[in-house]
Amino acid sequence: MLKFEPKKYLKAEMNEENKKSDKTAIQEIITSFDDYDKVKEVVSKLEMSGIDITANYGDWIKIGFAFADAFGNMGEELFHAVSKNYVKYDFTTCKQQYKKCLQSNKPGATLGTFFHLAKATGVTPSQHKQKVYTLTTPQRVSLEQGEEQIQQEKEPALPSISLPVYKRLPGFLKEVTSCASNNQERDLLLLGSLTVMSSCLPNVYGLYDQNTVYPNLFLFVTAPASSGKGRVNLCRKLVYPIHKQKKDTTNAQKVQYEVELLEYYDVKKKQKGDTPQKPQKPRDQMLFIPANSSATGAFELLANNDGKGLIFETEGDTLAQAFKSEHGNYSDGFRKAFHHEEISYYRRTASEYVDITSPQLSAVLSGTPDQVLSLMPDSENGLFSRFIFYKMERQKQWRNVFANTNKQSLDSTFDKLGNQYLQYYQRLEGFGSRIKIDLQTHQIERFHAFFSKEYDKFLFLHKTGLEASLLRLGLICYRIAMIFTIIRSLENDNLSNMLYCQDIDMENAITTVETLLAHTQKIYQYLPEKKQVLPKVKNQKESFLDGLPISFTTQEYKNIAKELQIPEKTSQRYIKQFVEKGYLQRVGHGQYLHSLKKED
């Protein structure tokens, strides 16, 4: 993630401008800030789109000169970011080239060159409003006042799932996500489709921590009103044909039952002595379990469907109200279902206890942050850690709703995809035996290395309270890998009793979970303060680690530490610890590379 540090930039530029009037210096710095914001926005768009404007060596050099001339050392991070879409990108080569651009006395190129190259690919900056700054004393403006005028505290945007994941998806999921109009919508369609599909993968299982697990996922999409979360409803269409097939089967069985019941009563009326056996009423089979059901009603529907089902509710309050009315019974069943633990309930009509031995429940919920609190008032009961969370941002501008009028409607597109997925479901259902999804040895090592490092980081940065979420994200990661593997196998028509995950599917699962981890940490901070251990403000060590750029020198990290009011000796100790933990790499004398901020 690109960061611009106003204090450091201000100090450097003010030193260069000491011969000019303070007002002139401040105004030029303001212009530089606006330029930086525009360049950063365009670079981010190029990154997310996978567009390379540096393939031509001459263009690449010009971009380096432009950034060096406009931003000095601060432009190196941007130069790396825009260069990474080049297939032969090399960090060291890129760093050396930027150093040459900084050392050159020739202007080389301006930012106009960069914007021109980007515009040729269709990428341009948004229309920024000019910022207005009031100078109370035009002739003498202190450094502190200038910082207050220019620096506007902004909460960093949560990451989207990176573009390489979408390029490596199985074909079916590529079709699903190709309908998206922006990054958030694309993430929403991927996570929503993975979750609904997780409820309809019969005979597919795996072993995790020596326990049999199935692909089922719980997803909660949270967003302000009118932010586009309703797009997740399209994912419902992917499995609706399966729901309809189950309902049609039930309706046919009910018609047959009514006929047999009439015959039964007719025979019983005419025949003396032993009567024929009364026909049994067919079970209500369906995929979608209504969220506003009572706990007993929901569990009964789950039992009628051999423990399998999907709760799909676009208003989180609906399920929250059901939870409250059941005095914890419903929530308890939900928590057990995530780990396929036995659920028991009492059915009054038949006066019997029913056991669902291995429930396989999936859930897609969406709502506002307040609705998260209604459903999960604290993190201590374990429901929070069982969910995938994705936080959407409010729509920043009006979207042209008639842009794709000539294209096929999304409803029609997803109806077709749903019929295709029905065929996948029928093939799995009729396979005749169970299908185990397994990881290869090197994939297990990759999985273990990633989660070990993340868990160690949690402990190191004192992120207590979120360990349960990280541990369960490990299981969620494996389940996502299972789904990728089985879909790819269906596409390649190579089903067998044992399927091994491919490297691209393992990497996609880990990369996806890495993004989800950031969203989970954000949603966790909405929970009531008295119940949470994680502070709403980052601790000193975490702020220091996050504040370090992709590449930096000893003097630069000391400057950052000073801004955060961290003593120099403490910052040196932190840097040493970060290197020992592998969060930083020492690539030369007094030169460091931020491992946690490496791009794909």
Side-chain angles (χ1 to χ4, degrees), residues 357-426:
T357 55
S358 184
Q360 297 169 43
L361 178 67
S362 298
V364 176
L365 307 176
S366 66
T368 63
D370 287 341
Q371 290 173 335
V372 176
L373 296 181
S374 298
L375 188 64
M376 308 165 195
D378 60 69
S379 63
E380 293 180 358
N381 69 359
L383 189 59
F384 179 88
S385 61
R386 286 161 167 80
F387 271 84
I388 292 170
F389 285 98
Y390 188 85
K391 182 180 184 297
M392 296 184 69
E393 303 297 335
R394 190 182 299 278
Q395 188 172 303
K396 299 254 188 320
Q397 60 186 20
W398 179 262
R399 183 166 55 88
N400 184 358
V401 294
F402 298 106
N404 298 311
T405 305
N406 296 328
K407 291 186 177 180
Q408 187 179 55
S409 73
L410 290 176
D411 287 336
S412 177
T413 298
F414 275 77
D415 284 339
K416 290 181 179 179
L417 289 169
N419 289 327
Q420 182 179 341
Y421 191 71
L422 174 62
Q423 296 176 19
Y424 289 165
Y425 174 81
Q426 290 170 338

Coordinates of all heavy atoms in Angstrom, one line a residue, residues 357-426:
T357 N -25.9 -35.3 13.2 CA -24.6 -35.8 13.6 C -23.4 -35.0 13.0 O -22.4 -34.8 13.6 CB -24.4 -37.3 13.2 OG1 -24.7 -37.5 11.8 CG2 -25.4 -38.2 14.0
S358 N -23.6 -34.6 11.8 CA -22.5 -33.8 11.1 C -23.1 -32.7 10.2 O -23.1 -32.8 9.0 CB -21.6 -34.8 10.3 OG -20.5 -34.1 9.7
P359 N -23.5 -31.7 10.9 CA -24.2 -30.6 10.1 C -23.2 -29.9 9.2 O -22.0 -29.7 9.5 CB -24.6 -29.6 11.2 CG -23.8 -29.9 12.4 CD -23.5 -31.3 12.3
Q360 N -23.7 -29.6 8.0 CA -22.9 -28.9 7.0 C -23.6 -27.7 6.5 O -24.3 -27.7 5.5 CB -22.6 -29.9 5.8 CG -21.8 -31.1 6.2 CD -21.7 -32.1 5.1 OE1 -21.5 -31.8 4.0 NE2 -21.8 -33.4 5.5
L361 N -23.5 -26.6 7.3 CA -24.3 -25.4 7.1 C -23.4 -24.3 6.5 O -22.2 -24.1 7.0 CB -24.9 -24.9 8.4 CG -25.7 -23.6 8.4 CD1 -27.0 -23.8 7.5 CD2 -26.0 -23.2 9.8
S362 N -23.9 -23.5 5.6 CA -23.2 -22.4 5.1 C -24.1 -21.1 5.3 O -25.3 -21.3 5.4 CB -22.8 -22.5 3.6 OG -22.0 -23.6 3.3
A363 N -23.5 -19.9 5.3 CA -24.3 -18.7 5.5 C -23.7 -17.5 4.8 O -22.5 -17.3 4.8 CB -24.4 -18.5 7.0
V364 N -24.6 -16.8 4.2 CA -24.2 -15.5 3.6 C -25.1 -14.4 4.2 O -26.3 -14.5 4.1 CB -24.4 -15.5 2.0 CG1 -24.1 -14.1 1.5 CG2 -23.5 -16.5 1.4
L365 N -24.5 -13.5 4.9 CA -25.2 -12.4 5.5 C -24.6 -11.1 5.1 O -23.5 -11.0 4.8 CB -25.2 -12.5 7.1 CG -25.5 -13.8 7.7 CD1 -25.3 -13.8 9.2 CD2 -27.0 -14.2 7.4
S366 N -25.5 -10.1 5.1 CA -24.9 -8.7 4.8 C -25.7 -7.7 5.6 O -26.9 -8.0 6.0 CB -25.1 -8.4 3.3 OG -26.4 -8.3 2.9
G367 N -25.1 -6.6 5.9 CA -25.7 -5.6 6.7 C -24.8 -4.5 7.1 O -23.6 -4.5 6.7
T368 N -25.2 -3.5 7.8 CA -24.4 -2.4 8.3 C -23.6 -2.8 9.5 O -23.8 -3.9 10.1 CB -25.3 -1.2 8.7 OG1 -26.1 -1.6 9.8 CG2 -26.2 -0.8 7.5
P369 N -22.5 -2.0 9.8 CA -21.7 -2.4 11.0 C -22.6 -2.5 12.3 O -22.3 -3.4 13.1 CB -20.8 -1.2 11.1 CG -20.6 -0.7 9.7 CD -22.0 -0.9 9.1
D370 N -23.6 -1.7 12.4 CA -24.5 -1.9 13.6 C -25.2 -3.3 13.6 O -25.4 -3.8 14.7 CB -25.6 -0.8 13.6 CG -25.0 0.6 13.9 OD1 -23.9 0.6 14.5 OD2 -25.7 1.6 13.6
Q371 N -25.5 -3.8 12.5 CA -26.1 -5.1 12.4 C -25.1 -6.2 12.8 O -25.5 -7.3 13.3 CB -26.7 -5.4 11.0 CG -27.9 -4.5 10.8 CD -28.4 -4.6 9.3 OE1 -27.7 -4.9 8.4 NE2 -29.7 -4.3 9.2
V372 N -23.8 -6.0 12.6 CA -22.8 -6.9 13.1 C -22.9 -7.0 14.6 O -22.9 -8.1 15.2 CB -21.4 -6.5 12.6 CG1 -20.3 -7.4 13.2 CG2 -21.3 -6.5 11.1
L373 N -23.0 -5.8 15.2 CA -23.1 -5.8 16.7 C -24.4 -6.5 17.2 O -24.4 -7.1 18.3 CB -23.1 -4.4 17.2 CG -21.8 -3.6 16.9 CD1 -21.8 -2.2 17.4 CD2 -20.6 -4.3 17.5
S374 N -25.5 -6.4 16.4 CA -26.7 -7.0 16.9 C -26.6 -8.5 16.9 O -27.1 -9.2 17.7 CB -27.9 -6.6 15.9 OG -28.1 -5.2 16.0
L375 N -25.8 -9.0 15.9 CA -25.7 -10.5 15.8 C -24.6 -11.0 16.7 O -24.6 -12.1 17.2 CB -25.3 -10.8 14.3 CG -25.3 -12.3 13.9 CD1 -26.7 -12.9 14.1 CD2 -24.9 -12.5 12.5
M376 N -23.5 -10.2 16.8 CA -22.3 -10.6 17.6 C -21.9 -9.5 18.6 O -21.0 -8.7 18.3 CB -21.1 -10.9 16.7 CG -21.5 -11.8 15.6 SD -20.2 -11.8 14.3 CE -21.1 -12.6 12.9
P377 N -22.6 -9.3 19.7 CA -22.4 -8.2 20.6 C -21.0 -8.2 21.2 O -20.5 -7.2 21.8 CB -23.5 -8.4 21.7 CG -23.9 -9.9 21.6 CD -23.7 -10.2 20.2
D378 N -20.3 -9.4 21.2 CA -18.9 -9.4 21.6 C -18.2 -10.6 21.0 O -18.9 -11.4 20.2 CB -18.8 -9.6 23.2 CG -19.5 -10.8 23.7 OD1 -19.0 -11.9 23.4 OD2 -20.6 -10.7 24.3
S379 N -16.9 -10.7 21.2 CA -16.1 -11.7 20.5 C -15.9 -13.0 21.4 O -15.3 -13.9 21.0 CB -14.8 -11.2 20.1 OG -14.0 -10.8 21.2
E380 N -16.5 -12.9 22.6 CA -16.2 -14.0 23.5 C -17.0 -15.3 23.3 O -16.5 -16.3 23.8 CB -16.4 -13.5 24.9 CG -15.4 -12.4 25.3 CD -15.7 -11.9 26.7 OE1 -16.6 -12.4 27.4 OE2 -14.9 -11.0 27.2
N381 N -18.1 -15.2 22.6 CA -18.9 -16.5 22.4 C -18.4 -17.3 21.2 O -18.9 -18.3 20.9 CB -20.4 -16.2 22.3 CG -20.8 -15.4 21.0 OD1 -19.9 -15.1 20.2 ND2 -22.0 -15.2 20.9
G382 N -17.5 -16.8 20.4 CA -16.9 -17.5 19.3 C -17.5 -17.4 18.0 O -17.0 -17.9 17.0
L383 N -18.7 -16.8 17.9 CA -19.4 -16.7 16.6 C -18.6 -15.7 15.7 O -18.5 -16.0 14.5 CB -20.8 -16.1 16.8 CG -21.7 -16.2 15.6 CD1 -21.8 -17.6 15.0 CD2 -23.1 -15.6 15.9
F384 N -18.0 -14.7 16.2 CA -17.3 -13.7 15.4 C -16.1 -14.4 14.6 O -16.0 -14.2 13.4 CB -16.7 -12.6 16.3 CG -15.9 -11.6 15.5 CD1 -16.6 -10.5 15.0 CD2 -14.6 -11.7 15.4 CE1 -15.8 -9.5 14.3 CE2 -13.8 -10.7 14.7 CZ -14.5 -9.6 14.1
S385 N -15.4 -15.2 15.3 CA -14.2 -15.8 14.7 C -14.5 -16.9 13.6 O -13.6 -17.3 12.9 CB -13.3 -16.5 15.7 OG -14.0 -17.5 16.4
R386 N -15.8 -17.3 13.5 CA -16.2 -18.3 12.5 C -16.6 -17.7 11.2 O -16.8 -18.4 10.2 CB -17.4 -19.1 13.1 CG -16.9 -20.1 14.2 CD -18.1 -20.6 15.0 NE -17.8 -21.7 15.8 CZ -17.2 -21.7 17.0 NH1 -16.8 -20.5 17.5 NH2 -17.0 -22.8 17.7
F387 N -16.7 -16.3 11.1 CA -17.1 -15.7 9.9 C -16.0 -15.1 9.1 O -15.0 -14.6 9.6 CB -18.1 -14.5 10.2 CG -19.5 -15.0 10.3 CD1 -20.0 -15.5 11.5 CD2 -20.3 -14.8 9.2 CE1 -21.3 -15.9 11.6 CE2 -21.7 -15.2 9.3 CZ -22.2 -15.8 10.4
I388 N -16.1 -15.2 7.8 CA -15.4 -14.3 6.9 C -16.0 -12.9 6.9 O -17.2 -12.8 6.7 CB -15.4 -14.9 5.4 CG1 -14.7 -16.2 5.3 CG2 -14.9 -13.9 4.4 CD1 -14.9 -16.9 4.0
F389 N -15.2 -11.9 7.1 CA -15.8 -10.5 7.0 C -15.2 -9.8 5.8 O -14.0 -9.9 5.6 CB -15.4 -9.8 8.3 CG -16.3 -10.2 9.5 CD1 -15.8 -11.1 10.4 CD2 -17.5 -9.7 9.7 CE1 -16.5 -11.5 11.5 CE2 -18.3 -10.1 10.7 CZ -17.8 -11.0 11.6
Y390 N -16.0 -9.0 5.2 CA -15.6 -8.1 4.1 C -16.3 -6.8 4.3 O -17.5 -6.7 4.3 CB -15.9 -8.7 2.7 CG -15.2 -7.9 1.6 CD1 -13.9 -8.2 1.3 CD2 -15.9 -6.9 1.0 CE1 -13.3 -7.4 0.3 CE2 -15.3 -6.1 0.0 CZ -14.0 -6.4 -0.4 OH -13.4 -5.7 -1.4
K391 N -15.5 -5.8 4.5 CA -16.0 -4.4 4.7 C -16.0 -3.6 3.4 O -14.9 -3.4 2.9 CB -15.3 -3.7 5.8 CG -15.8 -2.3 6.1 CD -15.0 -1.7 7.2 CE -15.6 -0.3 7.6 NZ -15.6 0.7 6.5
M392 N -17.1 -3.2 2.9 CA -17.2 -2.4 1.7 C -17.2 -0.9 2.1 O -17.7 -0.5 3.2 CB -18.5 -2.7 0.9 CG -18.5 -4.1 0.4 SD -20.0 -4.4 -0.7 CE -19.6 -3.3 -2.1
E393 N -16.6 -0.1 1.2 CA -16.6 1.4 1.4 C -17.8 2.0 0.7 O -18.3 1.5 -0.3 CB -15.3 2.0 0.9 CG -14.1 1.4 1.5 CD -14.0 1.6 3.0 OE1 -14.6 2.6 3.5 OE2 -13.3 0.8 3.7
R394 N -18.2 3.2 1.2 CA -19.3 3.9 0.6 C -18.9 4.3 -0.9 O -17.8 4.6 -1.1 CB -19.7 5.1 1.4 CG -21.0 5.8 0.9 CD -21.2 7.0 1.7 NE -21.4 6.7 3.1 CZ -22.5 6.3 3.7 NH1 -23.6 6.1 2.9 NH2 -22.6 6.1 5.0
Q395 N -19.9 4.2 -1.8 CA -19.7 4.6 -3.2 C -19.3 6.1 -3.2 O -20.0 6.9 -2.7 CB -21.0 4.4 -3.9 CG -20.9 4.6 -5.4 CD -22.2 4.2 -6.2 OE1 -22.6 3.1 -6.1 NE2 -22.7 5.1 -6.9
K396 N -18.2 6.3 -3.9 CA -17.6 7.7 -3.8 C -18.2 8.6 -4.9 O -18.1 9.8 -4.8 CB -16.1 7.6 -4.1 CG -15.3 6.8 -3.0 CD -14.6 7.7 -2.1 CE -13.7 7.0 -1.1 NZ -14.1 5.8 -0.5
Q397 N -18.8 8.1 -5.9 CA -19.3 8.9 -7.0 C -20.5 8.2 -7.7 O -20.6 7.0 -7.5 CB -18.2 9.3 -8.0 CG -17.6 8.1 -8.7 CD -16.5 8.5 -9.6 OE1 -15.9 9.6 -9.5 NE2 -16.1 7.6 -10.5
W398 N -21.2 9.0 -8.4 CA -22.4 8.4 -9.1 C -21.9 7.5 -10.2 O -20.9 7.8 -10.9 CB -23.2 9.5 -9.7 CG -24.4 9.0 -10.5 CD1 -24.5 8.8 -11.8 CD2 -25.6 8.5 -10.0 NE1 -25.7 8.3 -12.2 CE2 -26.4 8.1 -11.0 CE3 -26.2 8.5 -8.7 CZ2 -27.7 7.6 -10.9 CZ3 -27.5 8.0 -8.5 CH2 -28.2 7.6 -9.6
R399 N -22.5 6.3 -10.3 CA -22.1 5.4 -11.3 C -23.1 5.4 -12.5 O -24.3 5.5 -12.2 CB -22.1 3.9 -10.7 CG -21.6 2.9 -11.6 CD -21.3 1.6 -10.8 NE -22.4 1.2 -10.0 CZ -23.4 0.3 -10.4 NH1 -23.4 -0.1 -11.7 NH2 -24.4 0.0 -9.6
N400 N -22.6 5.3 -13.7 CA -23.5 5.4 -14.9 C -24.2 4.1 -14.9 O -23.7 3.0 -15.4 CB -22.7 5.6 -16.1 CG -23.5 5.7 -17.4 OD1 -24.8 5.6 -17.3 ND2 -22.9 6.0 -18.5
V401 N -25.5 4.1 -14.5 CA -26.3 2.8 -14.4 C -26.8 2.4 -15.8 O -27.3 1.3 -15.9 CB -27.5 3.0 -13.5 CG1 -27.0 3.3 -12.1 CG2 -28.4 4.2 -14.0
F402 N -26.6 3.2 -16.9 CA -27.0 2.8 -18.2 C -25.8 2.4 -19.1 O -25.9 2.3 -20.3 CB -27.8 3.9 -18.9 CG -29.1 4.2 -18.1 CD1 -29.2 5.3 -17.4 CD2 -30.1 3.3 -18.2 CE1 -30.4 5.6 -16.7 CE2 -31.3 3.6 -17.5 CZ -31.4 4.7 -16.7
A403 N -24.6 2.3 -18.5 CA -23.4 2.1 -19.3 C -23.4 0.8 -20.1 O -22.9 0.8 -21.2 CB -22.2 2.1 -18.4
N404 N -24.0 -0.2 -19.5 CA -24.0 -1.5 -20.2 C -25.4 -2.0 -20.6 O -25.7 -3.2 -20.5 CB -23.4 -2.6 -19.3 CG -21.9 -2.3 -19.0 OD1 -21.1 -2.0 -19.8 ND2 -21.6 -2.3 -17.7
T405 N -26.2 -1.0 -21.1 CA -27.6 -1.3 -21.4 C -27.7 -2.4 -22.5 O -28.6 -3.2 -22.5 CB -28.3 0.0 -21.9 OG1 -28.2 0.9 -20.8 CG2 -29.8 -0.3 -22.1
N406 N -26.7 -2.4 -23.4 CA -26.8 -3.3 -24.6 C -26.3 -4.7 -24.2 O -26.5 -5.6 -25.0 CB -25.9 -2.8 -25.7 CG -26.5 -1.4 -26.3 OD1 -27.7 -1.2 -26.3 ND2 -25.6 -0.6 -26.7
K407 N -25.8 -4.9 -23.1 CA -25.3 -6.2 -22.7 C -26.4 -7.0 -22.1 O -27.4 -6.5 -21.7 CB -24.1 -6.0 -21.7 CG -22.8 -5.5 -22.3 CD -21.7 -5.5 -21.3 CE -20.4 -5.0 -21.9 NZ -19.3 -5.1 -20.9
Q408 N -26.1 -8.3 -21.9 CA -27.1 -9.2 -21.3 C -27.3 -8.8 -19.8 O -26.3 -8.4 -19.2 CB -26.6 -10.6 -21.4 CG -27.6 -11.7 -21.0 CD -27.0 -13.1 -21.2 OE1 -25.9 -13.4 -20.7 NE2 -27.7 -13.9 -21.9
S409 N -28.5 -8.9 -19.3 CA -28.7 -8.5 -17.9 C -27.9 -9.5 -17.0 O -27.7 -10.6 -17.3 CB -30.2 -8.6 -17.6 OG -30.6 -9.9 -17.5
L410 N -27.5 -9.0 -15.8 CA -26.8 -9.8 -14.9 C -27.7 -10.9 -14.4 O -27.2 -12.0 -14.1 CB -26.3 -8.9 -13.7 CG -25.2 -7.9 -14.0 CD1 -24.9 -7.1 -12.8 CD2 -24.0 -8.6 -14.4
D411 N -29.0 -10.7 -14.2 CA -29.9 -11.8 -13.8 C -29.8 -12.9 -14.8 O -29.7 -14.1 -14.4 CB -31.3 -11.3 -13.7 CG -31.5 -10.4 -12.5 OD1 -30.7 -10.5 -11.5 OD2 -32.4 -9.5 -12.5
S412 N -29.9 -12.6 -16.1 CA -29.8 -13.6 -17.1 C -28.5 -14.4 -17.1 O -28.4 -15.6 -17.2 CB -30.1 -13.0 -18.5 OG -30.0 -14.0 -19.5
T413 N -27.4 -13.6 -16.9 CA -26.0 -14.2 -16.9 C -25.9 -15.2 -15.7 O -25.4 -16.3 -15.9 CB -25.0 -13.1 -16.7 OG1 -25.0 -12.2 -17.9 CG2 -23.6 -13.7 -16.6
F414 N -26.4 -14.8 -14.6 CA -26.2 -15.6 -13.4 C -27.2 -16.8 -13.4 O -27.0 -17.8 -12.8 CB -26.3 -14.8 -12.1 CG -25.0 -14.2 -11.7 CD1 -24.5 -13.1 -12.3 CD2 -24.3 -14.7 -10.7 CE1 -23.3 -12.5 -12.0 CE2 -23.0 -14.2 -10.3 CZ -22.6 -13.1 -11.0
D415 N -28.4 -16.6 -14.1 CA -29.3 -17.8 -14.3 C -28.6 -18.9 -15.1 O -28.7 -20.1 -14.7 CB -30.5 -17.3 -15.0 CG -31.5 -16.6 -14.0 OD1 -31.4 -16.7 -12.8 OD2 -32.3 -15.8 -14.6
K416 N -27.9 -18.5 -16.1 CA -27.1 -19.4 -16.9 C -26.0 -20.1 -16.1 O -25.8 -21.3 -16.2 CB -26.6 -18.8 -18.2 CG -27.6 -18.4 -19.2 CD -27.0 -17.7 -20.4 CE -28.0 -17.3 -21.5 NZ -27.4 -16.7 -22.7
L417 N -25.3 -19.3 -15.4 CA -24.2 -19.8 -14.5 C -24.8 -20.8 -13.5 O -24.2 -21.8 -13.1 CB -23.4 -18.7 -13.8 CG -22.5 -17.9 -14.7 CD1 -22.1 -16.6 -14.0 CD2 -21.4 -18.7 -15.2
G418 N -26.0 -20.5 -13.0 CA -26.6 -21.4 -12.0 C -27.0 -22.7 -12.6 O -26.8 -23.8 -12.0
N419 N -27.4 -22.7 -13.9 CA -27.8 -24.0 -14.5 C -26.5 -24.8 -14.8 O -26.5 -26.0 -14.7 CB -28.5 -23.7 -15.9 CG -29.9 -23.2 -15.7 OD1 -30.6 -23.6 -14.7 ND2 -30.4 -22.3 -16.5
Q420 N -25.4 -24.1 -15.0 CA -24.1 -24.8 -15.2 C -23.6 -25.4 -13.9 O -23.2 -26.5 -13.9 CB -23.0 -23.8 -15.7 CG -21.7 -24.4 -16.0 CD -20.6 -23.4 -16.5 OE1 -21.0 -22.3 -17.0 NE2 -19.4 -23.7 -16.4
Y421 N -23.8 -24.6 -12.8 CA -23.4 -25.2 -11.5 C -24.3 -26.3 -11.1 O -23.8 -27.3 -10.4 CB -23.4 -24.1 -10.4 CG -22.7 -24.6 -9.2 CD1 -21.4 -24.7 -9.1 CD2 -23.5 -24.9 -8.0 CE1 -20.7 -25.2 -8.0 CE2 -22.8 -25.3 -6.9 CZ -21.5 -25.5 -6.9 OH -20.8 -26.0 -5.8
L422 N -25.5 -26.3 -11.5 CA -26.4 -27.5 -11.2 C -25.9 -28.8 -11.8 O -25.9 -29.8 -11.2 CB -27.8 -27.2 -11.8 CG -28.8 -28.4 -11.7 CD1 -29.1 -28.7 -10.2 CD2 -30.1 -28.0 -12.4
Q423 N -25.3 -28.7 -13.0 CA -24.7 -29.8 -13.6 C -23.5 -30.3 -12.8 O -23.3 -31.5 -12.6 CB -24.3 -29.5 -15.1 CG -25.4 -29.2 -16.0 CD -25.0 -28.8 -17.4 OE1 -23.8 -29.0 -17.8 NE2 -25.9 -28.1 -18.1
Y424 N -22.7 -29.4 -12.3 CA -21.5 -29.8 -11.4 C -22.1 -30.5 -10.2 O -21.5 -31.5 -9.8 CB -20.8 -28.5 -11.0 CG -19.9 -27.9 -12.1 CD1 -19.4 -26.6 -11.9 CD2 -19.6 -28.5 -13.3 CE1 -18.7 -26.0 -12.9 CE2 -18.9 -27.9 -14.2 CZ -18.4 -26.6 -14.0 OH -17.6 -26.0 -15.0
Y425 N -23.1 -30.0 -9.6 CA -23.7 -30.6 -8.4 C -24.2 -32.0 -8.7 O -24.0 -32.9 -7.9 CB -24.8 -29.7 -7.9 CG -25.6 -30.2 -6.8 CD1 -25.2 -30.1 -5.5 CD2 -26.9 -30.9 -7.0 CE1 -25.9 -30.7 -4.4 CE2 -27.6 -31.4 -5.9 CZ -27.1 -31.3 -4.6 OH -27.8 -31.8 -3.6
Q426 N -24.9 -32.1 -9.8 CA -25.4 -33.5 -10.1 C -24.3 -34.5 -10.4 O -24.4 -35.6 -10.0 CB -26.3 -33.3 -11.4 CG -27.6 -32.6 -11.1 CD -28.4 -32.2 -12.3 OE1 -27.9 -32.2 -13.4 NE2 -29.7 -32.0 -12.2

